[in-house]
């Protein structure tokens, strides 16, 4: 009587562990894919946005202080830098924002968070 | 044949004007209202039974809820995230419904207009900035001083950081609007090919359009996800600084 039950138990555990590794594999694959796709969408716009902000600010400065083309020139260059920096941060995974975040600390946070985020592997 | 850009035209259905402002009930208003009504209908119908084991209809809102809740928890944090869940969820649903309803033939995609996405992005930007100042006072301004950078570089780095911060609402709004507009224009262009190429050869663009429609479905979901994710990240930056 206990033999088939043990057998079943073993089978279930087997299947569960298999499912788990499969899920892990799947989740990481999906996530990196998702992230790559999301990143591809972000990066291009990020550069243009920096340039636009630089141009806009430069134009405002020139209008306000009557500084000829210099405000525009300087601010467009700086805006381009900001755009490139945004792209670099996005791609390097330093957080996609102002300020550098220590990537090591972020990785640690993620590992910590991973404990209570098991329930969301099935949402895409 | 109609221009592929004609779908983005605003058509006022009920002309209204108050205090010099044009507040006509247009196709944009109609589809925004529809999005709200449909969201409430969907969530209301799904949550009426409150079954422990969700049925098909209950599953959809629960999936959205868990998806956004997980995202907020992961990015903003367990404790802090809970307070901002309603905000992020609202943003997510607005964008998602706009994107998805826009895929219905003859509908209007309100997320394809920079006015709409710009207003949403400015709302997110304003909330994040206010939150930063409320939480950290003027210490929030230290956000613009990159750590580990020699002070000699500050005159260059601080304007760059400020611009990088100011570019957030622009990139947020332009990304969504441009994606939706490009996708919908493309669909219309290929549909136009089908019309001009006749019944036999028009089949090829139609098949391609079917595939593109699938792609647009992914883009609609992905853009809503990206918008909500970036909202979360901006909130997190304001809460944590660095």
């Amino acid at each position: 009587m206990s033999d088939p039950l043990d057998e079943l138990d073993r089978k279930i555990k087997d299947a569960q562990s298999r499912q788990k590794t499969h899920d892990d594999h799947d989740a990481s694959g999906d996530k990196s894919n998702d992230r790559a796709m999301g990143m591809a969408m972000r990066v291009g716009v990020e550069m243009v946005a920096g340039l636009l902000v630089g141009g806009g600010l430069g134009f405002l400065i020139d209008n306000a202080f009557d500084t000829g083309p210099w405000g525009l020139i300087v601010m467009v260059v700086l805006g381009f830098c900001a755009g490139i920096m945004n792209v670099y941060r996005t791609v390097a995974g330093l957080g996609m924002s102002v300020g550098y975040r220590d990537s090591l600390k972020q990785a640690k946070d993620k590992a910590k968070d991973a404990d209570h985020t098991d329930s969301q592997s099935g949402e895409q | 044949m109609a221009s592929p850009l004609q779908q983005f035209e605003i058509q006022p259905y009920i002309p209204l004007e108050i205090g010099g402002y044009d507040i006509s009930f247009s196709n944009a208003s109609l589809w925004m209202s529809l999005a709200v009504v449909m969201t409430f209908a969907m969530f209301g119908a799904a949550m009426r039974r409150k079954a422990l084991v969700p049925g098909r209809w209950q599953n959809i809102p629960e999936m959205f809820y868990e998806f956004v809740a997980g995202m907020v928890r992961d990015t903003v944090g367990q404790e802090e995230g809970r307070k901002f869940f309603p905000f992020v969820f609202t943003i997510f649903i607005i964008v998602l419904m706009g994107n998805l309803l826009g895929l219905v033939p003859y509908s209007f995609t309100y997320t394809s207009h920079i006015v709409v996405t710009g207003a949403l992005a400015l709302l997110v930007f304003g909330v994040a900035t206010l939150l930063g100042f409320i939480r950290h006072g003027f210490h929030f301004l230290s956000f613009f001083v990159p750590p580990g950078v020699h002070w000699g570089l500050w005159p260059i780095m601080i304007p760059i950081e400020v611009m990088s911060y100011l570019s957030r609402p622009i990139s947020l709004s332009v990304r969504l609007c441009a994606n939706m507009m490009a996708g919908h224009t493309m669909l219309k262009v290929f549909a136009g090919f089908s019309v001009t190429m006749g019944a036999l050869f028009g089949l090829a663009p139609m098949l391609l359009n079917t595939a593109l429609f699938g792609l647009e479905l992914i883009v609609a979901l992905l853009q809503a996800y990206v918008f909500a994710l970036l909202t979360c990240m901006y909130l997190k930056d304001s809460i944590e600084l660095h």
Side-chain angles (χ1 to χ4, degrees), chain A residues 45-59:
Chain A
V45 184
E46 216 68 74
M47 257 162 63
V48 180
L51 211 59
L52 280 179
V53 169
L57 275 182
F59 187 74

Side-chain angles (χ1 to χ4, degrees), chain A residues 37 41-42 45-46 49 53-54 57 78-79 81-82 85-86 89 96-99 101 113 117 120 123, chain B residues 66-67 74 143 146 160-161 163-168 170-171 175 179 222-223 230 233 236-237 240 242:
Chain A
M37 191 88 165
M41 299 236 161
R42 274 200 293 270
V45 184
E46 216 68 74
V53 169
L57 275 182
L78 286 182
C81 292
M85 200 158 72
N86 277 345
R89 278 191 193 126
M96 28 233 79
S97 56
V98 175
R101 271 174 59 78
D113 280 352
T117 52
Q120 48 138 358
E123 323 145 345
Chain B
E66 274 174 25
F67 177 64
D74 279 359
F143 196 48
I160 289 180
E161 291 282 355
M163 267 188 255
S164 152
Y165 189 71
L166 289 179
S167 75
R168 281 170 169 193
I170 295 180
S171 65
R175 180 183 307 115
N179 265 293
L222 202 70
Q223 285 304 320
L230 284 172
M233 292 193 154
K236 184 193 73 170
D237 280 344
E240 287 184 358
H242 49 239

Side-chain angles (χ1 to χ4, degrees), chain B residues 67-139:
Chain B
F67 177 64
V68 177
M71 181 166 70
V72 174
R73 200 165 46 216
D74 279 359
T75 30
V76 188
Q78 186 90 333
E79 282 306 309
E80 294 285 351
R82 200 169 298 152
K83 296 173 202 158
F84 295 104
F85 172 76
F87 177 63
V88 178
F89 192 68
T90 311
I91 295 265
F92 176 75
I93 289 291
I94 290 173
V95 174
L96 184 71
M97 288 307 267
N99 291 353
L100 287 181
L101 283 179
L103 285 174
V104 177
Y106 294 104
S107 75
F108 176 83
T109 325
Y110 60 79
T111 42
S112 68
H113 276 221
I114 191 91
V115 190
V116 177
T117 61
L120 283 175
L122 278 180
L123 175 70
V124 170
F125 180 75
V127 165
T129 310
L130 264 180
L131 181 69
F133 276 114
I134 289 171
R135 279 291 163 88
H136 305 282
F138 282 99
H139 184 64

Side-chain angles (χ1 to χ4, degrees), chain B residues 19-61:
Chain B
Y21 291 102
D22 184 11
I23 55 157
S24 310
F25 190 84
S26 59
N27 46 358
S29 333
L30 174 69
W31 286 96
M32 277 186 220
S33 317
L34 262 179
V36 173
V37 169
M38 279 183 68
T39 309
F40 272 92
M42 186 175 77
F43 277 68
M47 291 303 143
R48 214 175 39 202
R49 274 188 58 232
K50 295 194 190 70
L52 188 62
V53 179
R56 250 180 241 136
W57 282 104
Q58 193 180 337
N59 226 337
I60 301 170

Side-chain angles (χ1 to χ4, degrees), chain A residues 38-90:
Chain A
M39 204 176 278
M41 299 236 161
R42 274 200 293 270
V43 162
V45 184
E46 216 68 74
M47 257 162 63
V48 180
L51 211 59
L52 280 179
V53 169
L57 275 182
F59 187 74
L60 284 181
I61 287 173
D62 278 351
N63 260 3
F65 303 111
D66 205 20
T67 44
W70 293 108
L72 194 61
I73 291 171
V74 171
M75 290 318 250
V76 161
V77 170
L78 286 182
F80 186 66
C81 292
I84 293 285
M85 200 158 72
N86 277 345
V87 170
Y88 171 71
R89 278 191 193 126
T90 310

